[in-house]
Amino acid sequence: MPERGEKSPIWGSRFAEGPDPLFFAYGRSVAWDRRLAPEDIRGSLAHVHALAAAGVLAPDVAAELASALQSLGDRLAKGFELPIEPQDEDVHGAIERLLGPIGGYLHAGRSRNDQVALDFHLFCKAAAEELAAAVKELQAAILALCEAQGDKLWWGMTHLQPAQPVLVAHHWLAYFWMFERDRGRFLWAAGQADRSPLGAGALAGAGLPVDPLQTARELGLSAVYDNSMDAVSDRDFALDLGHAAATTALHLSRLGEEIVLFASPAFGRLELPDAFATGSSMMPQKKNADGAELLRGRAGRVLGAHLGLMTTLKGLPLAYVRDLQEDKEAVFGIVDTTRAGVRLAAAMLPRLKLLEARIPRGDLSLATDLADYLVRCGEPFREAHHIVGRAVQAAVAAGGDFTCLDDPTWRSMSAHFTPEALSNLLDPSLSPGRRAVPMGTAPAEVAKQLARAYQALA
Ligand code: ARG
């Protein structure tokens, strides 16, 4: 905190006194925006080059400034912390101070408004690309699980009730495609951040001839904004990243929920590796799926931060307003939480031990197969549904599944239910093969799906 009464070194002169300590602490962002120091230094270097190219800075000043920035950047790259002083308000002021007297030349033709917007574009673009790569690892982990253990059958469910037999690989591949779309959303978000606001100045455009295209190009950004007021005041590129992350977090939470459920003996569909399970401090027998529970639970943080940022941005007037400073903590949290979740899932998934689901012969989940068979024999589907519904009712009344019904009972329900037909229809292992439409769970279709999945990752 500055000494009482001490004025800001970068904007204090028009004030009679320095900020109240409470207000200074309230507005200070350096604790978290120091994370943008590498981006800030890169942006400043490009800005110095533009100032020199325009002849605004003398070559020797530009060279000294560039080398001061460079050596600070090198120190940070080696892992040194940005040294923060109590009077530093944000990362931009701290870096200008650390440059020493030569730093006084740096801010020509620039405002912290376009500066911070640039830093944040660079951060969001890199984060989106990194998250896309992390999601790709998770997708590869899903494929490894499917390859190694995907040929078993288990019940596909609707309403969490047994519905129809599906290949286990088919079940997990559903997540592969969710994450494939997430990856696309991250890449798209990276493209939305791939645009430079530098040169917008405070809001109306820089008053010195710095070429925005030159700085953009130097920073590896493909475009510049068309309007300086838009450039400094919107954070929709951060919302695009937030949306991609929120959807990923949501998918991770579904995945986490299923791992929790399936690891419970009530489902008995998988065994957790010890390395991803926790015990109880009281109950010695316990093996809990805390990792999966956290995948599910932490989605709340990501969704909350995303909604929080949208709420912050709602109703803001043009152009820069200080509310925009709230963008960074939200996005840092979103990025860190999502990245950690994606990595955890990628590490845990291939180590799950999927257990054989013993779908018994004559299981009621074959009811749709029986109805479809009657349709193939010429019955209207609704009538077929009624016939099989009565068979289900009789089986349940007999205390079991379709194997409880004897031949005469079947025959009384439909002449098409011959023992030969039933011997096929009541075998659960033959059920998936009947769903041989593209995207279906037939083994041949799942094999094609796997091939498409590998292709998507190639
Ligand atoms: N720390 C500020 C932020 O993150 C930097 C911009 C300050 N600009 C201003 N006009 N007060 O948004």
Side-chain angles (χ1 to χ4, degrees), residues 29 33 90 92 112-113 116 235 320 322 324-325 328:
S29 57
D33 68 17
D90 59 24
H92 322 295
R112 279 186 297 163
N113 300 350
V116 72
R235 297 292 184 264
Y320 179 86
R322 190 64 176 270
L324 291 168
Q325 181 174 283
K328 283 172 280 301

Side-chain angles (χ1 to χ4, degrees), residues 250-314:
L250 204 141
H251 289 153
L252 285 173
S253 81
R254 298 182 67 190
L255 178 65
E257 163 70 355
E258 290 216 311
I259 293 172
V260 172
L261 281 178
F262 294 171
S264 160
F267 269 91
R269 288 190 174 196
L270 62 83
E271 226 171 76
L272 288 171
D274 284 0
F276 291 92
T278 47
S280 156
S281 61
M282 187 188 184
M283 300 169 281
Q285 87 285 10
K286 287 300 296 277
K287 183 171 175 183
N288 298 328
D290 293 28
E293 287 171 3
L294 285 169
L295 281 182
R296 184 179 62 192
R298 271 201 200 146
R301 281 203 222 182
V302 176
L303 303 187
H306 182 53
L307 183 60
L309 181 55
M310 284 199 284
T311 310
T312 291
L313 297 176
K314 173 192 167 296

